[in-house]
Every structure is written in structure tokens, then in C-alpha cells.
Amino acid sequence: MLGTYGMFLVSGLAVGALYALGGVGLVILNRATGVLNFAYGAIGAVGAMTAWQVLEWHLPEPLAWAAAMGVSLALSLGFGLLVAPQLAHREPVIKAVATLGFALCLLGLMNLIWMVTSRKLGLFSDSLGFSIIGVRINGTRLIALAGGVTATIAMGIYLSRTCTGLLMRALADNREVAAILGVPVRRVEAIAWGISGVLAGFTGLLFGGLVRLDPAVLTFLVIPVIATTIIGRLKSIPVTFVAGLLIGVTESMLTLVKPLAPFRVAAPFVIATLALMWLQRGRRLTFAGED
Amino acid sequence: MKSHLWGGSAAIAVLLLLSAGSAAAAPSCGLNNGRAATGEPIKVGAIVGRTGPDDFSSASRAAKAYFDCVNANGGIHGRPIEYLVEDDQWNPEVAAQVATKLVKDEDVVALVGNASFVEMGVNAKLYEEEGVMAMASGCAVAECFESKNIVSTNEGPLPSSVGAAQWAVANLGSTNVVCIGLTIPSVGPYSCGWVEKYMQSKNLAGTSVLLDPSAADMNSAFLEAVASGADTVLVNLPAGMAAAFLKAALESGQRDSYKWISSTPLYDRDVPAMLGTDWSGVMYVNIELTPIDGKGPDASNWRAVLDAFGTADDPRDTFSQAGYLSARFFVAAILQQDPAKLDRATVTEAIRNIKNYTSDLLCGPYYVGPGDRHMPNHANMMVQMIEGGYKIVGECMDVDSAYLDPYRANEKALGIVN
Amino acid sequence: MMASDPPVVSTPALALWRSRSIGLLLLVAALALLPPLLLASLWLKVLTGVAIYTLTAAAIALLYRRLGLVSLAHVALMGAGGWVGLRLAYGLGTPFEVNMLAGGIAAAGLGMVFAYPALRMRGLYLALVTLMIAGAFAIIVNVLQFPNGGGGWSGFAVKSAGYMPRPAIASNDVGYYAYCVVVTALGMALIHWHEIGKAGRAWALIRRSEAAAMSSGVDVPFYKVWAFALSGFLAGIAGVLLAGNLQMLDARSFPAAESVMIFALTIVGGAWNPVGALIAAALYRLVPALLNDFGVNGDAAYIIFGAALIHALATAPRGIAGQLEDLASRLFGRSNGGNTR
């Protein structure tokens, strides 16, 4: 029985790594720009579809990886530089729902370019891998886990040790004050949009390989990923990462609880809501002002 | 030198023969008299799920090609068919709107070539109230086969998955089948539930693993299937999801511990290439109509009609065959009517009177009849996935399920011989 | 603005005509009765959808306008109300109005559960909590489906489609359209009645400063919960109306992203004006139907729609209704300008 639990644990960590990676990318952007990007999934999906196209043309795989991240970088940066500033004066929720508009645009575009049909994205890392307690973990999942850990640590160092990182933190704490103090808001935001775009492409590629290469599925996968960021209070990258793993494991373990098994995809939402209630316990009524 | 010349003329002769052959493969539609129909148009509708998680328009594209071909060949005794295709966008509300438009505003005489996940359940009542028949071609939900005014040429997930299990029990020695389906009750539990019942009726074991359509975690689903103790895995998922599930199975290194069967979604020209060689010779797929590369008159005519009147991107898949066939049967039925008196009532009557129509694309006869539920097509074939294609491994076999009892009673009353 | 119009000295008949409530009644009657005479069945069906979603948008706008609260779960609330309504219709065979009220009350209860986190948080964070609820609802209802006359507590069975009866007085599409318009108008009147009453004053104080509201004796938690309950009630009613429109519901109508969409459109329509809700619903249901009817490819429609959404959010802070209001006051500025400031 322990063996069965172990199998589901490992399997859960593997999917949790994906949630975690996605969540980290969302938090990085939100910290620096105050935008929760609903289009994160769609940007990643365009990257994944581009990679598929490159592989379909029989070009080398490294080019596909580069293309995925390059296209996602361009889309994220494009939105960040051209559209986001127009919304800078609006409250965070409005900025967030505006990105849903961008997601719809990208989804429509993808369905126009790539006719809706079943596709599969094969990556070099799929055939690599090893076994732990009877579960085989392939290389792509390891890349997802390693990517998540690297992004978490690297962003931690970046934010605490570099000058741009310091500016980003200043921006996150209070935009108005940061601007008055001479933080080059646009430039710092552009860097954040860029980093988040590359991460979106990387994540989209891994999701495309591990989940399904389907623009609509990848686009709306952002909603369970948002659950991880809630637990991290939209601020903490390490907490978000751990939350992603935890959600993945819970979702997988629920398979063993028969009556709940068909509902297990709801796990991210339920966990996020419960975690939040617990985090907010004892907190008094807040007064109007900032969140 | 001489022999070379001979070789050359032989080649020319072969070319001439080939072109003669392709001329012989010119499509044959309706009256087939080569005269364009110019009379008062007859309005026929279709509702397909084009925009959304999947594109289900291939049935209506094939039906459109066939109708165009009919219109170029005498129409319905000189009257052309005006074919109006609407997209339900996989949205129940839109499905109701476009049905209202076709049935009430455009006053179509019938619907032909419908293919959707949502349309049938929403509109079955409207069709019955308005006395219009829907000759569907792509049904995926239970409601479609349990409505008075809907009859589909395809057979849906239930006969397809039960047929696969039945074949595996007989030919692979399966004793315990786990059916992997969607959580949507009228799709997954409907078809996998009847697979379980089939297994139980044979004193064998059957279980289901149900997945949310947006599920990301295929590994756990596979582990759940493993935990069921099955010896055979029946993949009953849309192709994209099936590919993800099979990838997880392959990753686990446990492919060879199981026998693999699937319902129709994995029967598609592009699927063998998508799944790769790992599944060649391993995966057995149930097909609802006869193979897409069949040699019979309807199989050849279907391809010829699409080549002549369709476009290059119209898919040549099972739904397309079903759309062609629905359109052909519809035309055959209304050609027997007085063209001056073709209205909804007479067309509905003509469709209801369809009996013992046959085609090499179907395993059994096609009929409609007055019943309150219709599933004329419930015999199917099995193919084995091989490198780059499929090989027939099981000829036409009727599906053995108690679900079909009411349909068989209808058939008996109508005098349909299978 | 109109309430502060200068008193009109005129004949009684004209005074009656000028009276706002009579005017509104006539407007509602016109909206309910005229379109069926002028439009094809398709557009009547579309407008029924618009009427229903107007109520949902008005419920979302109420929370946003009065308390600055964002709900990204209103489509899910509609689904919950619809579920209860269908369950009662099949389980007890109760009349449509009873089912509608029950659906509304159930959704109000759910709204109050949301209000619990709302007492302690706001803004994006609260919005995301409601989004989580919408996400969970979409998955749960996908498994349970909506009642269709089956047995058991879920009331669902795999069988031929069942159809919920419509109200006896409005069983055909024309009657049902008018019915929806009237119910939506009543719902908006309920909102208005709250806003001009004690609740409205309490909400206004809370919005300005919760500390001030509390110190002046307003029961802040109660009025916040009350706003959520009212908003949920109206969404639940809209859900049962939607169930009556199709005479059934399908889980595919309720993905989480739809809830985000209807909120976004409520903002685009304009949350500060009742007309905004109508605009939001028209954008949600009428514009896609028009695009579909013009033969615009569904995917291209997505692109147009997404771009328009971003544009509207960026350029019209008070929504389209706000812009129309500005336009109107510029056109008729002289008659009104003195009173507005």
C-alpha cells in the first residue's frame, strides 16, 4: 500500500512541478507590474504551437525551444509595452481582466493559424528519465521541476542582489512613491514582462509536451495555476512554488479516494480557498484603501 | 531501341487507361444526369460544432460537397438544394439560437449532417415540436440516440467502446477491461457504464476511470487504471487527450503489461503519425463505419465527390463518410417524392419511411421508422494501428449490449434484417 | 440627475408623462412587447439571452459600484441557481415562479458564503477567491450535470433529454421573452429600491470609509453580506430564467472563464448606470450572435472581441454607458448642466 501511495506522490509531484512553474512566472510579473496575467497560458500556448510548427518543418529541436521562448517573449513584451501602460491608472482587477481580452485574441489567432485537430509535441527529454518506486519520471518533468527550482532561486537572488531587482521590489511596494523617487518604471516593467514572457514560453512548451498540445486547454490552464499564486499571496515566489507541488500531490492522491476521484481536478480551487481562509484567520476587517 | 519504343507506348497506354479509370471514378449523385438544377431551392440545414475544443465540421463539409454534386446533376427533379450550415460554437445557448434560425426563420425541410456535442440535447424538443427530422452524422452524447426526431449515421461512443471490448474478449482473451472516459455523464459514464455491464454479463470484470475534459494530470489516471487490476485498457477519449494518456502510459514503461483497445476517435488518418511507432501493432481501434480507404462503390464515390466538389482541406475521416452518407440517403428518400409537394411534412414522412437502405460504408442496413429512438448503425469493425495506417483485423460484428434491446424491438417491428 | 430636475409646471397628463416611474414602465412594456412584432425568431431568442444576462450584469455592477467588490463567480452563481430551480421543477413539480425564487435564495446563500472572505479582503485578492469558486463549480457541475428528471439527489440520469416546463403564462418563445424582460426589470427595481433606501446609504458610507461607517453605527459586516446576498439572489434568478429559456442547462455553459468575461463586459458596459448592464449583456450575447450571423468565423470573432475588450477597458473608465452619458450631457448640456454640479 505504501508503494501505491508513493506512486501517486511521485506522480503528483510531477504535475505539481508544472503548476509550480506556471505560478512562479505569474508571481514574478505581478510583483513587478501589479498585473495578474490571465493571458499567461495563451502566451505559453502560442510558444508551444510555434515549437510544434518548427519541429513539423523538420528543423532542429534547439531551434524549436528558442522559437517558443522568443515568440512568447515578443508577445509578452508587446502587450507589456504597448497595451499595459494604457491601463496603468486602472485598479489591479481591471488590468487582470484586460489580459483576458489578450488571451481571447491569442486563442482566436492560434485556432485560425493552426486548424483545430489533435497534435502531439515530442521533446528530446521525453525519452530520458528514471524510475522511483515504480513510477517512471521522464526528462521533461525533471526539466519542469528543475526549471521551477531554478526560477525560484534565481529570482530570489535577482530581486535581493541586483539593482534592477531592488527597483522591482520598490515598484512592488509602492508604485507612486517609486516613480517619484526616480525609479524608471517603464524600463523595470519591460524587464519584468520580458522575464515573464520567456518563462511563459518555457512553461507552455513543457505543458504542451506533458499535458496536451491544445491551444484552448493550455490557455485556460492558467486558472488552476492562479490557485498556486493565491496561496503565495501573489507575492511570495517560494511559497507559490511549494503550493504548486502541494496542489499537484493532493490532486493526484485524491485518485485513491474513490467517491472524490472524478472531482479531483477541482483540487487547486478548493485548496486555494481553504488556504486563504486559514491565512486570513484572525485578521480583522480591513478598512478601505489598498488591499 | 524497338523495345524502348514499345515500353514508351505501353506507358502511354497505361496513362490512357488511368485517365479512363479516373473518368470512371467521376462522382455519381442523385439523378446523375449532368444538368444543373435551376428550380425553386429546397432549404436544408445543418448545425455543427466548428469553433471550440474540436472542429466537428467535416460531416457538413462532405454533405455540402454531395449536395453541390446533386445540384449539378439534376437536383431533386430540377430543384436545387440550398444547404445552410450553422456553427453552434460548442455553446448550448448558441445551439438553441441557430436551431431556431434554421427551423423557424429559414423554414428548412430537414437537417442533414449535424455533428455536435451540445446541439442534439438542447434541440431535440424543438425538432419534435416543429416536426422536422435531423439526419445527423456526428453524435457523441446519449440524448442523440434517444430522441424521436434525430437519427444519426455514426454510432456514438457506446457501440464503439462496447464493440471494442467485445472484440478484445473474443480475440485477445481480455477478462478485465478498464474503460478510460470523460466525466461528462452522457458521454463517459454512458459508454463506459455499458462496457462494464457488457463485461459483467459475460462474468468478466469491467471498471471505469473518468477524467475531466480539462484534466492536466494523465499520470494519475493511468495509475488509477493500473490499480483497477485490468488486463486490457480501453481508451475512450478524444484523440488529443488519448495521445496524452498514452504518452503517460508509455512513460511508465508498462505498455506491454496491457492489451490496448480504443473507440473510434483514434481512427483518423493523422493519428498513427501523431502517436508514433510505439503504438503500431499494439493498439486496436473500433471503427463505426467501414475503413476510409475502402474499395466499395460508396467509399469510392465519397472520395470522388469530395475531390470534385469539396476542397483539399476537407478532412477525409469517419465523420466525413457519415456526412456523405446522411446526405446521400436524404436525397434518395426525397427523390421518391413529388418535387412540387416537397415541404417539411412530406420530407419528414419520407425520412421516417427510410427502410433497408444499404451502403458499403455501413456494416448493416440504414432505416429510420416511427420509433422514439434511433440507432440504425450498431455493428462495427476493428482495425489494428500499423506504421502509418491501419489494418483490418475484425470484420463487421454486431454489438452485443442490452442497451440495444429497444432498438432491436423497433427493428423487428419494422422488418429490418441485419 | 433626473431626480434633481427642476419642477415642471404643466398639465397633469404631461406631468404623468414626465414622471419617471411611468416612463420606465412604458419603456419596459415596449421592450417586452415590441421586439416580437419586429424580429425573426432567432433574434427573439438572442434578446431573451440579453434580457437574462442584463440581470446578471446588474447584479455584478451592484457589488462593484456600491462596495468596490469584484465577483468573478457570477456565471457560476447562475449555474447554482439554475441547478436548484431544475431540481425543484423535476423533484416537486413546483411552479416556475417558486423554482425561480428557490434558485435565487440558494444562490443568495452561496453569495453570503462568498461574503465571508469579503469581510477580510478586497480587490484583486478577493476577485481571485471568487474565481476559485467559479473554477470549482465548473468541474463539480461537469461531473454532476444539471437535473434532467433522473432519480437520486442529483436528479440526473443518462437518458433522453428532459425539458423543464416554462411558466404557464409564458410557454412559447414570445411570451417567455416578455416574461424575462419583466423579471429583469423587477430585479433592477429591487436593486434601485435598495440603493435609495437605508442599505444604499450604508453602502455609500462603507465605500467611502469603513472606519467612518463603523463609527457612525453602520453594521459593516451585515451590509456587506447583504449586498452579496442580493447580488447572488439576482444571479440565481437569472440562472433559473436561463434554464427556462433552454428548458434545460448544460454544464458546458458554465466554465470559469465565462464568469471573468461577464465581469469584464459589465465594466465595459458601465457599472455606474443601469443602461450599462444592458450594454454588457448585449455585448455578451447579441454581438457574438450578430458576428455569427454575418458569417464571421468564430475564431476571428474571438480576436475582434478580445481586442475590443482591451480597447474599451483602456479608453472608457466609466464604460460605454458613461461615455454615452457624457455625450448626452454635452448634447443637452444646457438643460442639465447647472444641476449636476
Side-chain angles (χ1 to χ4, degrees):
Chain A
M1 201 57 210
L2 191 67
T4 318
Y5 283 121
M7 274 163 61
F8 281 94
L9 178 73
V10 175
S11 164
L13 283 175
V15 74
L18 289 178
Y19 286 145
L21 186 60
V24 168
L26 279 177
V27 171
I28 289 171
L29 183 69
N30 185 60
R31 274 190 66 153
T33 64
V35 176
L36 181 80
N37 191 359
F38 275 110
Y40 195 74
I43 292 173
V46 179
M49 293 306 292
T50 311
W52 177 84
Q53 189 63 66
V54 169
L55 292 177
E56 198 66 6
W57 287 329
H58 300 291
L59 296 170
E61 193 172 324
L63 206 63
W65 286 74
M69 287 185 253
V71 168
S72 298
L73 168 72
L75 287 173
S76 182
L77 212 55
F79 186 84
L81 292 181
L82 300 176
V83 183
Q86 297 177 39
L87 292 156
H89 59 286
R90 306 297 301 269
E91 56 194 294
V93 182
I94 305 296
K95 290 182 194 165
V97 296
T99 60
L100 180 74
F102 190 46
L104 291 182
C105 281
L106 292 179
L107 182 57
L109 197 66
M110 279 187 279
N111 285 340
L112 279 183
I113 299 177
W114 293 286
M115 207 187 80
V116 179
T117 178
S118 33
R119 296 186 174 81
K120 195 171 94 171
L121 184 63
L123 303 173
F124 77 95
S125 43
D126 289 347
S127 50
L128 311 172
F130 64 94
S131 293
I132 331 174
I133 42 174
V135 183
R136 200 174 151 75
I137 298 294
N138 81 11
T140 313
R141 288 185 196 279
L142 284 180
I143 294 177
L145 197 60
V149 173
T150 315
T152 307
I153 296 174
M155 278 317 285
I157 296 173
Y158 179 71
L159 288 175
S160 59
R161 299 283 164 81
T162 66
C163 180
T164 341
L166 180 74
L167 296 178
M168 255 180 219
R169 278 188 294 145
L171 215 56
D173 287 342
N174 193 325
R175 312 178 63 74
E176 306 281 311
V177 175
I180 292 166
L181 290 177
V183 172
V185 176
R186 286 287 178 89
R187 194 165 61 86
V188 176
E189 283 189 349
I191 293 171
W193 280 101
I195 294 175
S196 135
V198 172
L199 268 177
F202 180 67
T203 314
L205 193 61
L206 297 179
F207 270 61
L210 290 170
V211 177
R212 234 165 302 162
L213 188 63
D214 177 326
V217 169
L218 294 179
T219 297
F220 293 114
L221 216 53
V222 72
I223 295 178
V225 167
I226 285 175
T228 65
T229 66
I230 289 187
I231 300 178
R233 288 170 174 266
L234 302 175
K235 293 276 182 271
S236 166
I237 296 172
V239 172
T240 302
F241 183 75
V242 173
L245 292 181
L246 186 82
I247 285 173
V249 169
T250 316
E251 190 178 322
S252 168
M253 293 290 224
L254 277 176
T255 310
L256 293 166
V257 189
K258 258 299 166 204
L260 292 180
F263 298 97
R264 64 171 186 274
V265 190
F269 309 116
V270 176
I271 294 173
T273 312
L274 293 180
L276 202 98
M277 300 275 181
W278 188 72
L279 287 172
Q280 301 283 341
R281 77 192 184 290
R283 195 174 154 194
R284 297 285 305 279
L285 187 79
T286 55
F287 290 133
E290 296 207 20
D291 293 352
Chain B
M1 196 59 201
K2 199 166 189 178
S3 67
H4 270 114
L5 259 174
W6 269 112
S9 40
I12 290 166
V14 167
L15 272 176
L16 279 172
L17 269 175
L18 274 178
S19 57
S22 65
S28 148
C29 315
L31 297 173
N32 207 23
N33 59 13
R35 286 200 301 271
T38 51
E40 188 198 346
I42 302 167
K43 280 185 181 176
V44 175
I47 299 174
V48 297
R50 207 199 68 70
T51 316
D54 207 341
D55 183 351
F56 271 17
S57 65
S58 87
S60 65
R61 289 169 181 229
K64 169 140 184 40
Y66 186 76
F67 288 146
D68 286 349
C69 178
V70 166
N71 291 346
N73 282 286
I76 307 300
H77 301 295
R79 292 180 66 181
I81 290 172
E82 185 184 347
Y83 192 44
L84 307 165
V85 183
E86 293 287 336
D87 177 8
D88 71 24
Q89 305 179 354
W90 289 66
N91 178 327
E93 279 179 79
V94 178
Q97 289 167 9
V98 293
T100 306
K101 174 180 174 184
L102 290 174
V103 174
K104 290 192 175 166
D105 298 341
E106 297 286 354
D107 212 19
V108 296
V109 295
L111 294 118
V112 176
N114 289 15
S116 163
F117 240 79
V118 298
E119 183 268 322
M120 289 83 178
V122 174
N123 294 327
K125 179 163 179 272
L126 176 78
Y127 298 157
E128 205 172 324
E129 282 175 355
E130 299 288 324
V132 64
M133 287 297 291
M135 292 178 76
S137 310
C139 275
V141 292
E143 293 93 330
C144 194
F145 300 99
E146 304 184 5
S147 303
K148 187 172 166 64
N149 283 39
I150 301 176
V151 53
S152 189
T153 312
N154 81 324
E155 46 185 48
L158 187 147
S160 183
S161 42
V162 175
Q166 191 180 332
W167 182 86
V169 168
N171 296 282
L172 302 175
S174 301
T175 58
N176 187 342
V177 172
V178 59
C179 178
I180 320 291
L182 294 177
T183 49
I184 302 166
S186 57
V187 185
Y190 164 70
S191 49
C192 286
W194 281 96
V195 169
E196 287 181 30
K197 286 191 189 123
Y198 169 78
M199 296 304 285
Q200 282 151 14
S201 74
K202 303 288 169 208
N203 286 322
L204 302 169
T207 44
S208 304
V209 168
L210 301 175
L211 289 172
D212 189 88
S214 64
D217 180 12
M218 292 293 160
N219 248 1
S220 300
F222 179 67
L223 292 176
E224 195 182 347
V226 169
S228 72
D231 56 22
T232 304
V233 182
L234 166 53
V235 183
N236 183 19
L237 298 170
M241 255 183 118
F245 180 82
L246 294 176
K247 194 168 178 178
L250 199 63
E251 255 178 42
S252 76
Q254 298 190 63
R255 184 196 68 191
D256 297 336
S257 318
Y258 298 93
K259 302 174 183 94
W260 293 90
I261 51 177
S262 166
S263 53
T264 308
L266 286 189
Y267 184 63
D268 184 284
R269 196 181 49 188
D270 301 330
V271 163
M274 176 177 80
L275 292 183
T277 51
D278 293 317
W279 296 96
S280 304
V282 177
M283 177 61 79
Y284 297 92
V285 186
N286 184 281
I287 60 174
E288 296 176 17
L289 278 78
T290 59
I292 43 178
D293 50 2
K295 300 283 178 285
D298 259 327
S300 311
N301 195 42
W302 160 59
R303 290 187 298 262
V305 166
L306 274 181
D307 289 344
F309 291 90
T311 64
D313 359 309
D314 288 346
R316 269 69 169 171
D317 59 6
T318 305
F319 280 159
S320 173
Q321 287 177 310
Y324 159 81
L325 214 49
S326 298
R328 185 169 88 68
F329 288 157
F330 170 75
V331 168
I334 63 168
L335 271 176
Q336 293 168 2
Q337 305 295 308
D338 177 354
K341 288 189 185 142
L342 277 180
D343 58 16
R344 187 178 287 171
T346 55
V347 168
T348 300
E349 187 61 24
I351 294 173
R352 283 207 185 280
N353 286 335
I354 292 179
K355 214 166 134 177
N356 286 326
Y357 279 18
T358 54
S359 164
D360 50 281
L361 290 175
L362 291 177
C363 281
Y366 182 90
Y367 65 94
V368 183
D372 62 351
R373 55 180 62 203
H374 309 276
M375 190 187 272
N377 179 13
H378 48 69
N380 42 40
M381 296 172 76
M382 286 298 284
V383 294
Q384 181 182 31
M385 202 173 278
I386 53 172
E387 202 149 332
Y390 298 89
K391 186 178 87 184
I392 300 173
V393 292
E395 293 298 335
C396 283
M397 180 171 62
D398 203 358
V399 171
D400 174 12
S401 171
Y403 177 78
L404 293 172
D405 290 348
Y407 301 96
R408 292 195 210 281
N410 285 348
E411 282 170 17
K412 209 166 174 185
L414 282 171
I416 306 291
V417 230
N418 263 308
Chain C
M1 253 189 314
M2 276 187 154
S4 54
D5 272 354
V8 181
V9 184
S10 59
T11 61
L14 198 57
L16 196 68
W17 176 249
R18 288 293 299 254
S19 135
R20 189 174 172 179
S21 51
I22 298 291
L24 277 175
L25 270 181
L26 286 173
L27 177 69
V28 169
L31 279 177
L33 299 175
L34 280 184
L37 302 176
L38 307 172
L39 295 173
S41 319
L42 162 69
W43 300 110
L44 195 63
K45 200 106 192 157
V46 172
L47 286 187
T48 310
V50 171
I52 294 169
Y53 281 100
T54 301
L55 189 55
T56 309
I60 297 171
L62 167 75
L63 281 182
Y64 186 71
R65 175 176 66 227
R66 285 298 151 199
L67 292 172
L69 295 172
V70 173
S71 164
L72 301 182
H74 262 62
V75 168
L77 281 178
M78 284 176 80
W83 195 94
V84 171
L86 283 166
R87 189 73 199 89
L88 279 187
Y90 285 115
L92 302 174
T94 39
F96 190 83
E97 287 74 18
V98 174
N99 304 335
M100 194 160 69
L101 283 177
I105 291 166
L110 260 181
M112 282 156 81
V113 175
F114 292 170
Y116 175 74
L119 294 178
R120 292 145 186 246
M121 60 187 104
R122 62 167 58 76
L124 183 59
Y125 212 44
L126 171 68
L128 293 181
V129 177
T130 60
L131 180 65
M132 294 298 103
I133 291 162
F137 178 82
I139 286 160
I140 291 166
V141 85
N142 223 345
V143 179
L144 297 181
Q145 265 299 353
F146 286 92
N148 68 347
W153 65 271
S154 78
F156 177 85
V158 176
K159 61 174 199 65
S160 51
Y163 296 94
M164 178 201 198
R166 280 179 179 171
I169 52 164
S171 55
N172 64 2
D173 278 1
V174 174
Y176 194 70
Y177 164 73
Y179 190 88
C180 288
V181 171
V182 170
V183 172
T184 297
L186 287 175
M188 292 176 80
L190 183 66
I191 293 178
H192 183 69
W193 181 69
H194 270 87
E195 286 192 303
I196 57 172
K198 197 175 165 198
R201 289 193 296 277
W203 290 334
L205 262 174
I206 294 172
R207 172 119 220 211
R208 182 141 301 182
S209 157
E210 284 179 17
M214 216 185 250
S215 57
S216 50
V218 171
D219 186 348
V220 174
F222 173 80
Y223 280 103
K224 270 190 161 180
V225 169
W226 188 247
F228 263 99
L230 177 62
S231 182
F233 178 74
L234 296 173
I237 297 260
V240 182
L241 286 179
L242 189 68
N245 190 25
L246 297 172
Q247 299 190 267
M248 63 178 313
L249 285 177
D250 187 297
R252 275 168 286 251
S253 299
F254 302 93
E258 293 296 306
S259 288
V260 183
M261 192 61 177
I262 187 81
F263 171 77
L265 292 177
T266 304
I267 301 304
V268 168
W272 276 270
N273 189 315
V275 179
L278 185 62
I279 296 173
L283 290 171
Y284 189 57
R285 279 293 172 255
L286 181 59
V287 171
L290 282 170
L291 289 174
N292 197 15
D293 203 55
F294 292 156
V296 176
N297 174 304
D299 297 315
Y302 260 56
I303 300 179
I304 298 170
F305 207 73
L309 181 68
I310 300 173
H311 179 77
L313 287 175
T315 54
R318 282 164 59 237
I320 296 172
Q323 287 185 323
L324 290 177
E325 216 174 293
D326 293 346
L327 188 70
S329 65
R330 228 174 296 147
L331 287 178
F332 312 106
R334 271 163 302 160
S335 65
N336 238 339
N339 290 321
T340 45
R341 46 189 75 107

